[in-house]
Amino acid sequence: MALSERTDKYGGMLHASDIKKSYGQVDALRGVDLSVNAGQIVALLGRNGAGKTTLVSIVAGLLRADAGTVEVDGVDAVAQPGEAARRIGVAPQETGVYRVLTVRENLTFFADLAGVPKRNRSKQVDAVAEQLGLTDLLGRKGSELSGGESRRLHTACALVHRPRLLLLDEPTVGADVATRQQLIEAVGGLAADGAAVVYTTHYLPEVEALNADIVIIHEGRILDRGTQAELIERHHRGGLWFTVEGEPPPGVLDGLDVMHRQTEGDDQHRFLVGGDVRMADLVDRFGAQASQLVSVERNLPDLDRVFMTVTGESSEPDEQAAS
Ligand code: ATP
């Protein structure tokens, strides 16, 4: 299935189409489509400089695109930025809480800014504080919070008006395990209540924990999209990794699909062979030279490797295949 066909099935709360953005000579986004349904969590996965923050900033209305359209809950975000903004909650990468205001005042201020009616304000502030473990800190000033507490407040400020589209740019940077867990649970809860979520992170276990739909972005383009299982199914090559002391004996590699080889240390060679090779067959091939085999392991399906394969920066596949 072509990527365009695969992404077509995702409509709904956010529909960004053919977004382009350059900073001088740098083409940060080269025609990106991103659609997210209500109740869906999309993890934007990409290396540093891939274009994630640029995309999130454009969708949030914080940055103007050079080309393309953004629709949020049916509202044209370029023509009606105010209308769109009311539906969006955004927590940019840099935390931005008011240091002189208390936690409650910060949350109330953001609720007010987002147009939450006065009668609902304190109820929503209390609810989001509870959700992110801030209840005991409501009276504390922004300047008196730890890094992780500030991060939680920063995210809470994006949630307090119960947005239909939530944009979180690396929300767990610098957070401890408990904070991470709280944030992930809060995000999962919002999606379960029908919010659409775009979540950028470099931390793959989070993507797994969120059970997110994964969008791989690389050098300003979306290269693939799917669940973890779908991406692994499409890109995982199976096979075995093995390390050999010295050169492998003549004939050992004959007929094998050698996808990768690299030299390790002084005189060790590491190989990845694809397909259905069994460990025992490989050892048989070495025969009397089996002691040359330092290690053999199955090439397990792994999101990290799939990501590297898709972005072409793999320690595996195609262009690096053995000569
Ligand atoms: P990271 O994971 O490091 O946060 P990212 O995927 O969010 O990266 P962006 O911040 O969107 O990437 O940057 C995309 C590209 O645009 C990079 O090459 C970056 O250097 C460039 N870029 C971003 N902001 C600016 C700017 N204000 N001026 C010039 N170039 C910029």
Side-chain angles (χ1 to χ4, degrees), residues 23 26-28 46-55 93 169-170 202:
Y23 301 100
V26 179
D27 292 328
R47 298 178 72 88
N48 292 134
K52 304 179 295 294
T53 297
T54 302
L55 180 58
Q93 221 171 82
D169 197 354
E170 298 190 34
H202 293 276

Side-chain angles (χ1 to χ4, degrees), residues 228-303:
Q228 181 176 349
E230 285 167 349
L231 291 178
I232 285 174
E233 162 107 28
R234 279 204 282 281
H235 301 287
H236 179 62
R237 305 278 200 85
L240 294 177
W241 284 97
F242 62 93
T243 306
V244 182
E245 191 72 51
E247 283 296 330
V252 158
L253 299 176
D254 288 355
L256 292 180
D257 174 19
V258 181
M259 303 197 305
H260 173 75
R261 77 179 285 167
Q262 74 194 56
T263 303
E264 286 192 339
D266 280 348
D267 194 26
Q268 287 194 353
H269 300 280
R270 186 160 163 76
F271 295 86
L272 172 64
V273 293
D276 294 329
V277 198
R278 291 171 51 230
M279 284 194 193
D281 293 341
L282 184 75
V283 175
D284 281 352
R285 280 171 174 255
F286 277 79
Q289 271 75 48
S291 61
Q292 264 187 269
L293 266 175
V294 177
S295 67
V296 184
E297 63 205 280
R298 288 199 318 140
N299 182 32
L300 295 171
D302 168 287
L303 189 54

Side-chain angles (χ1 to χ4, degrees), residues 161-238:
H161 62 296
R162 302 186 177 158
R164 315 204 63 183
L165 172 64
L166 182 60
L167 308 168
L168 301 175
D169 197 354
E170 298 190 34
T172 55
V173 167
D176 65 15
V177 177
T179 298
R180 228 170 243 272
Q181 194 57 36
Q182 249 162 349
L183 282 165
I184 283 173
E185 277 169 20
V187 169
L190 281 156
D193 287 344
V197 181
V198 178
Y199 190 104
T200 81
T201 182
H202 293 276
Y203 193 55
L204 299 182
E206 272 176 20
V207 176
E208 292 174 21
L210 286 165
N211 198 17
D213 215 43
I214 300 160
V215 166
I216 298 181
I217 181 166
H218 186 61
E219 295 180 350
R221 286 198 178 86
I222 287 177
L223 299 185
D224 208 347
R225 171 173 180 157
T227 62
Q228 181 176 349
E230 285 167 349
L231 291 178
I232 285 174
E233 162 107 28
R234 279 204 282 281
H235 301 287
H236 179 62
R237 305 278 200 85

